[in-house]
Amino acid sequence: MILIQQLEKLDQELQNSYRSDDINFEQLAIFLSNREQLLHQCMQVSKIVHSTEWQSAIARTQLIVDEMSQLGQQFATDYQKLNHGQKSVQLYRKFQ
């Protein structure tokens, strides 16, 4: 069950990372890679897979996927706004 505890701790660090105002994408990638490895290790232990802690890990996985998806959509929206603003400034400068 140490693997599940490690996974839970890693999930907390991962969520803190992408919920912060200043996201470190390199660290986020490391967390995601480590999480994937831990999940594979957990799946090799049948005692873990049949536990309630595993069900909690599955629920956390869905939460993380959903939150990161929303974050990606927010980044896309912010980029579109920034890009539109830059085009507006260029057009304004063209007619000065």
Side-chain angles (χ1 to χ4, degrees):
M1 290 296 185
I2 291 174
L3 289 173
I4 284 287
Q5 292 168 344
Q6 290 175 342
L7 181 62
E8 190 171 345
K9 182 180 180 212
L10 182 61
D11 286 348
Q12 280 295 324
E13 292 172 347
L14 174 63
Q15 288 173 317
N16 290 340
S17 178
Y18 68 74
R19 288 175 179 166
S20 74
D21 290 334
D22 186 26
I23 298 173
N24 181 337
F25 290 99
E26 290 177 16
Q27 186 65 44
L28 193 61
I30 292 169
F31 285 150
L32 289 170
S33 176
N34 292 345
R35 188 175 197 282
E36 180 181 17
Q37 291 172 10
L38 265 175
L39 284 172
H40 285 295
Q41 290 173 6
C42 287
M43 287 189 290
Q44 302 303 315
V45 181
S46 64
K47 185 177 179 182
I48 290 175
V49 174
H50 296 6
S51 70
T52 56
E53 289 87 357
W54 180 252
Q55 296 306 314
S56 295
I58 298 297
R60 283 195 314 273
T61 299
Q62 188 60 51
L63 176 66
I64 289 169
V65 167
D66 291 344
E67 288 180 343
M68 291 189 75
S69 177
Q70 289 174 0
L71 187 63
Q73 290 172 357
Q74 184 61 46
F75 283 147
T77 300
D78 291 348
Y79 175 76
Q80 286 176 336
K81 289 177 184 177
L82 177 66
N83 195 30
H84 179 73
Q86 288 175 338
K87 287 180 181 179
S88 295
V89 168
Q90 288 173 350
L91 188 61
Y92 174 76
R93 287 184 180 157
K94 182 179 177 180
F95 291 107
Q96 273 186 331

